[in-house]
């Protein structure tokens, strides 16, 4: 839209190409009939012929649909950190998530820890922390591939009796690539063979120098089995969150990402989503990938129905037309009709891409058969 060929310009001006080329030469622009000139040049030529070029401003559906204004720093409020747990196989990621989850069992809900969704919040020192249940590497790969940078802090679990292993290194690389701050949980401290000093020494090789050695990496010895060190880990996550000054604007339309989603027989598409900015309200229209819909039921991580969800809150919602993919970005929008149009457009594009790769595959098959 910002340039036009000389031939096209001539035909729009109802002039011969050579007339237009002459005018261009008069302006000091040498261009053949098939070459392009920019908008400003075209406008000057048009003027010479007593015409006017109307600049086509192309507004995408996205631009019309989404509220793309930056938040004024003055309106930002503190938000809980979003944390993912990662590390080598069997080093205790699941056990640590379980141990953390247990810390939220209050007198009122003794015995029953209800966790309905793929993310949960715990409180430490009066402040909330959001944990994603998604395996760390998935949270980083599939979600980041879609542009969702969900996590603020990565808890790197290293078994004290095993030390740094291949997937530990992979986790470090993922977290670093995402710009996520790493906090190290040296796990299995209850084991007699536990050797936390060796773990720390190994960490320094990956530019994670423990604080007590003059670096800035927090290392917390824990045991998921006994619960030792877990409150300390949470406290340190909160300290780190404070340093990072995590902020969001609760007073705008919600946006965030899909953590996981499934099709429920009775409820239809059910998605666990994380609000990253703004506040999601029941009844809001949202678009997530190619899925659209009004939030019908919204539940918190305890399965309780809620009306609103602010920044860093994980919720489960129903009401979408289809099951979105983990990592899809979602946004609440004012215009449902336009949102459906965008979803259709995205679906069509996806089909086109799939068709393209299908053709490629068949072509490859053809060659491999020869
Ligand atoms: P994957 O999901 O398979 O990668 O493993 P994971 O990292 O989630 O480890 P998981 O929590 O399943 O723990 C692996 C094994 O280590 C289990 O047998 C746990 O009981 C054990 N384990 C985890 N934490 C501790 C701990 O603090 N102390 C001891 N002694 N054992 C632990
Ligand atoms: Mg596990």
């Amino acid at each position: 839209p910002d340039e036009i060929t000389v031939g096209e310009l001539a035909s729009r001006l109802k002039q011969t190409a050579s007339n237009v080329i002459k005018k261009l030469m008069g302006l000091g622009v040498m261009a053949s009939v098939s070459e392009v000139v920019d908008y400003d040049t075209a406008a000057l030529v048009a003027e010479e012929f007593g015409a006017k070029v109307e600049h086509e401003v192309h507004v995408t559906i996205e631009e019309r649909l989404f509220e793309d204004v930056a938040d004024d720093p003055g309106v930002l409020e503190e938000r809980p950190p979003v944390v993912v747990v990662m590390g080598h196989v069997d080093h205790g990621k699941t056990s640590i998530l379980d141990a953390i989850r247990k810390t939220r069992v209050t007198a009122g809900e003794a015995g029953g820890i209800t966790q309905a969704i793929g993310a949960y919040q715990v409180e430490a020192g009066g402040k909330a922390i959001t944990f994603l249940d998604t395996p760390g590497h998935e949270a980083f790969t599939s979600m980041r591939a879609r542009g969702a940078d969900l996590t603020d802090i990565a808890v790197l679990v290293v078994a004290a009796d095993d030390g740094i292993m291949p997937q530990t290194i992979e986790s470090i690389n993922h977290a670093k690539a995402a710009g996520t701050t790493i906090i190290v949980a040296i796990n299995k401290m209850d084991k007699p063979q536990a050797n936390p000093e060796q773990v720390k020494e190994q960490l320094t090789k990956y530019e994670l120098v423990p604080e007590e050695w003059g670096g800035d990496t927090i290392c917390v010895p824990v045991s998921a089995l006994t619960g030792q060190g877990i409150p300390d880990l949470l406290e340190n996550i909160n300290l780190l969150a404070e340093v990072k000054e995590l902020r969001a604007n609760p007073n705008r339309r919600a946006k965030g990402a899909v953590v996981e989603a499934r099709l429920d027989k009775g409820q239809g598409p059910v998605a666990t989503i994380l609000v990253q900015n703004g506040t999601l309200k029941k009844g809001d229209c949202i678009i997530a990938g190619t899925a659209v819909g009004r939030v019908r039921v919204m539940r918190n991580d305890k399965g309780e129905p809620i009306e609103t969800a602010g920044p860093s809150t994980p919720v489960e919602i129903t009401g979408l037309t289809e099951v979105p993919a983990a990592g899809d970005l979602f946004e609440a929008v004012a215009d449902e009709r336009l949102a459906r149009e965008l979803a259709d457009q995205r679906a069509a594009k996806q089909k086109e891409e799939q068709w393209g790769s299908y053709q490629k595959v068949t072509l490859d098959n053809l060659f491999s058969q020869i």
Side-chain angles (χ1 to χ4, degrees), residues 175-203:
K176 278 191 176 167
T180 305
T181 312
I182 294 172
I183 176 165
V184 182
I186 305 180
N187 191 31
K188 309 200 184 184
M189 286 299 291
D190 59 283
K191 285 199 164 184
Q193 314 92 300
N195 189 349
E197 295 307 302
Q198 193 192 324
V199 172
K200 287 181 200 170
E201 201 186 303
Q202 291 171 338
L203 284 170

Side-chain angles (χ1 to χ4, degrees), residues 27-319:
L27 294 167
V29 178
M30 298 297 167
S32 70
V33 68
S34 61
E35 281 178 299
V36 295
V37 293
D38 62 21
Y39 165 77
D40 290 332
T41 309
L44 283 175
V45 172
E47 220 170 88
E48 302 256 324
F49 290 111
K52 232 178 134 75
V53 172
E54 275 199 22
H55 195 29
E56 261 179 53
V57 183
H58 191 65
V59 183
T60 62
I61 296 189
E62 276 98 335
E63 281 165 335
R64 279 191 285 161
L65 193 57
F66 298 137
E67 199 176 46
D68 202 14
V69 276
D71 291 311
D72 184 336
V75 304
L76 298 180
E77 293 176 21
E78 197 176 327
R79 65 166 178 86
V82 178
V83 184
V84 71
V85 173
M86 53 199 322
H88 192 70
V89 60
D90 272 356
H91 277 198
K93 301 176 292 290
T94 303
S95 304
I96 283 186
L97 277 168
D98 286 345
I100 291 168
R101 195 178 289 126
K102 274 186 205 148
T103 64
R104 68 183 220 176
V105 182
T106 56
E109 45 177 353
I113 318 159
T114 27
Q115 195 208 331
I117 68 178
Y120 62 90
Q121 275 189 337
V122 294
E123 247 185 47
K127 287 191 173 175
I129 304 172
T130 302
F131 281 91
L132 298 183
D133 250 354
T134 335
H137 60 276
E138 267 176 42
F140 279 107
T141 47
S142 80
M143 295 197 185
R144 288 198 66 232
R146 290 185 174 78
D149 258 332
L150 281 187
T151 53
D152 303 302
I153 294 171
V155 173
L156 180 70
V157 181
V158 186
D161 61 338
D162 204 21
I164 292 197
M165 300 300 279
Q167 282 162 14
T168 318
I169 300 164
E170 236 170 73
S171 304
I172 293 171
N173 291 336
H174 275 309
K176 278 191 176 167
T180 305
T181 312
I182 294 172
I183 176 165
V184 182
I186 305 180
N187 191 31
K188 309 200 184 184
M189 286 299 291
D190 59 283
K191 285 199 164 184
Q193 314 92 300
N195 189 349
E197 295 307 302
Q198 193 192 324
V199 172
K200 287 181 200 170
E201 201 186 303
Q202 291 171 338
L203 284 170
T204 61
K205 289 184 197 137
Y206 299 93
E207 287 148 41
L208 296 173
V209 181
E211 269 189 330
E212 51 273 40
W213 293 2
D216 55 11
T217 299
I218 301 172
C219 297
V220 187
V222 302
S223 165
L225 196 70
T226 67
Q228 172 209 336
I230 297 293
D232 197 21
L233 177 65
L234 296 179
E235 228 168 81
N236 275 291
I237 288 171
N238 266 336
L239 278 178
L240 207 54
E242 242 167 71
V243 174
K244 287 172 80 81
E245 294 190 5
L246 305 169
R247 304 264 187 276
N249 175 11
N251 298 306
R252 62 176 292 162
R253 290 206 299 258
K255 60 202 260 179
V258 176
V259 177
E260 58 179 32
R262 65 195 156 86
L263 187 63
D264 181 272
K265 263 190 223 145
Q267 304 176 86
V270 177
T272 295
I273 59 177
L274 177 75
V275 178
Q276 292 181 284
N277 200 14
T279 296
L280 185 66
K281 302 182 188 77
K282 207 176 132 181
D284 277 353
C285 175
I286 70 167
I287 176 167
T290 55
V292 186
R294 293 200 171 271
V295 177
R296 194 163 2 127
V297 181
M298 181 154 68
R299 292 188 201 90
N300 66 13
D301 54 357
K302 290 174 179 159
E304 300 157 348
I306 53 171
E307 299 288 318
T308 62
S312 295
T313 310
V315 287
E316 190 180 76
I317 58 155
T318 68

